[in-house]
C-alpha cells in the first residue's frame, strides 16, 4: 500500500488540510481551488502523482457538498449541465490528444496575455446585467451548450489550470447565465471531471488515504461554507472570488512560463 511507503510529517498534514479548506472554499464559489492545493502539496514534499490523486479525491467529495447546497437553492440549470457533460468529455478527450501534438507552453503564454483583459471585462464593479434565458431545446440551445462545453473540455484536457473559473466565465458570457447560476451549474461538470480523475488515481493505487481523508473532510467544510456564502451574498461574491482565482492562475502562469525558466 502507498501509505506504507510514504511517511509524511505533521506539518505536511497541517498544510494539506489548510490548503484543502482554503481551496475548497474558493473552488465552491469561483473555481480554481487546485491552484491552492496542488502547490501546497508539492511544496510540502508530496510526490506529484500522489498529490494529484489526493487532490482529485478531496475535490470530488468537496464539489459534491457545494453542488448539494446550490441544488437545494434551485440555482443549478440541470438541462444545461446534463447536456454539457457528454460534450465536455468529448472535448477533454480531443484536448488531451491535441496536447500530444502541440506545446502547452504556447497556450500558457497566450493566456497570460488574455487573462487581464478577460478579468477586467468580467470582474470590474458594474450593475448586474439582465440575462436573457436560453431556450430549452432546438439549435439555439444545443449549439451554444455544445460549443462552450467542447471548448472548455478541450482546454481541460489540453492544459487544465483554472478550468472551473473558465466554465463560470463561459456560462456567464456565452450562455447568458447569471454569475450565481453559472457557478452552480459548473459544479456538475466539475464533479464529473473530478470523479473520473479520482477513479483513475484510485485504481492505479496512488491515493494516500491517510492524507486524502482528512483533506477531503476539510475540503467538504470549505465547499460548504463557500457555497453558503455565495448563496447568501449573491453575484458579488462570485465576482470577488473570481478575481482571486484568476489572479492566482495568472501568477502561476507567469511564474511557470516566464520566470521559472530564467532561474535555471
Amino acid at each position: 500500500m502507498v501509505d506504507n511507503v510514504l511517511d509524511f510529517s505533521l506539518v505536511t498534514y497541517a498544510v494539506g488540510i489548510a490548503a484543502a479548506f482554503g481551496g475548497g472554499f474558493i473552488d465552491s464559489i469561483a473555481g480554481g481551488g487546485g491552484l491552492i492545493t496542488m502547490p501546497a502539496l508539492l511544496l510540502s514534499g508530496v510526490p506529484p502523482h500522489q498529490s494529484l490523486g489526493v487532490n482529485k479525491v478531496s475535490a470530488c467529495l468537496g464539489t459534491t457538498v457545494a453542488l448539494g447546497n446550490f441544488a437545494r437553492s434551485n440555482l443549478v440549470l440541470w438541462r444545461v449541465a446534463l447536456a454539457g457533460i457528454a460534450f465536455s468529455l468529448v472535448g477533454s478527450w480531443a484536448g488531451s490528444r491535441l496536447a500530444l501534438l502541440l506545446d502547452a507552453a504556447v497556450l500558457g503564454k497566450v493566456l497570460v496575455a488574455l487573462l487581464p483583459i478577460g478579468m477586467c471585462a468580467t470582474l470590474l464593479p458594474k450593475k448586474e446585467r439582465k440575462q436573457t434565458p436560453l431556450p430549452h431545446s432546438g439549435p439555439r440551445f444545443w449549439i451554444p451548450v455544445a460549443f462552450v462545453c467542447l471548448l472548455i473540455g478541450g482546454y481541460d484536457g489540453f492544459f487544465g489550470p483554472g478550468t472551473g473559473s473558465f466554465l463560470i466565465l463561459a456560462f456567464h458570457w456565452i450562455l447568458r447565465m447569471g454569475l450565481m447560476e453559472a457557478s452552480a451549474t459548473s459544479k456538475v461538470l466539475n464533479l464529473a471531471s473530478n470523479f473520473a480523475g479520482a477513479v483513475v488515481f484510485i485504481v492505479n493505487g496512488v491515493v494516500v488515504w491517510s492524507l486524502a481523508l482528512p483533506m477531503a473532510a476539510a475540503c467538504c467544510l470549505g465547499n460548504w461554507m463557500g457555497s453558503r456564502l455565495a448563496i447568501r451574498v449573491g453575484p458579488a461574491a462570485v465576482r470577488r472570488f473570481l478575481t482571486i482565482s484568476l489572479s492566482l492562475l495568472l501568477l502561476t502562469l507567469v511564474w511557470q512560463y516566464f520566470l521559472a525558466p530564467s532561474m535555471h
Side-chain angles (χ1 to χ4, degrees):
M1 294 293 291
V2 174
D3 280 26
N4 294 330
V5 177
L6 298 175
D7 184 21
F8 299 126
S9 68
L10 289 177
V11 172
T12 299
Y13 284 97
V15 169
I17 290 169
F21 174 80
F25 186 91
I26 290 177
D27 199 65
S28 67
I29 303 173
L35 297 169
I36 294 175
T37 52
M38 281 301 296
L41 289 169
L42 292 169
L43 290 172
S44 298
V46 181
H49 287 104
Q50 280 72 26
S51 294
L52 286 166
V54 165
N55 182 60
K56 280 296 182 187
V57 169
S58 62
C60 185
L61 294 172
T63 301
T64 303
V65 171
L67 177 58
N69 276 339
F70 285 126
R72 283 191 293 273
S73 296
N74 297 315
L75 290 168
V76 179
L77 303 184
W78 286 105
R79 187 172 178 83
V80 174
L82 296 177
I85 288 177
F87 294 114
S88 183
L89 292 174
V90 171
S92 183
W93 175 84
S96 61
R97 298 296 297 172
L98 188 63
L100 299 175
L101 304 174
L102 301 177
D103 185 6
V106 174
L107 179 57
K109 292 177 180 178
V110 170
L111 281 175
V112 168
L114 295 180
L115 264 177
I117 300 173
M119 289 170 67
C120 289
T122 303
L123 307 176
L124 287 177
K126 58 183 180 291
K127 186 177 180 180
E128 185 71 8
R129 60 195 178 95
K130 176 83 171 170
Q131 300 291 331
T132 304
L134 280 177
H136 292 294
S137 61
R140 290 183 60 208
F141 171 78
W142 287 106
I143 291 174
V145 169
F147 173 75
V148 165
C149 294
L150 281 170
L151 180 68
I152 303 300
Y155 170 80
D156 194 19
F158 182 83
F159 197 63
T163 297
S165 300
F166 287 135
L167 267 176
I168 295 171
L169 293 178
F171 283 172
H172 180 56
W173 285 107
I174 301 175
L175 300 188
R176 305 190 302 276
M177 294 183 190
L179 280 174
M180 286 299 301
E181 290 78 8
S183 180
T185 306
S186 73
K187 298 299 177 287
V188 180
L189 299 179
N190 288 153
L191 179 58
S193 175
N194 286 333
F195 179 78
V199 168
V200 170
F201 288 116
I202 291 170
V203 168
N204 284 276
V206 296
V207 177
V208 186
W209 290 105
S210 64
L211 180 60
L213 293 178
M215 281 186 61
C219 189
C220 287
L221 180 60
N223 270 272
W224 184 83
M225 293 179 66
S227 55
R228 294 304 302 167
L229 175 69
I231 291 165
R232 187 171 71 251
V233 176
V238 179
R239 185 169 283 115
R240 290 190 195 109
F241 282 94
L242 269 171
T243 304
I244 296 172
S245 180
L246 293 176
S247 297
L248 285 171
L249 176 58
L250 182 61
L251 291 172
T252 300
L253 294 176
V254 168
W255 170 261
Q256 185 170 350
Y257 294 111
F258 290 93
L259 300 179
S262 65
M263 298 182 68
H264 293 308

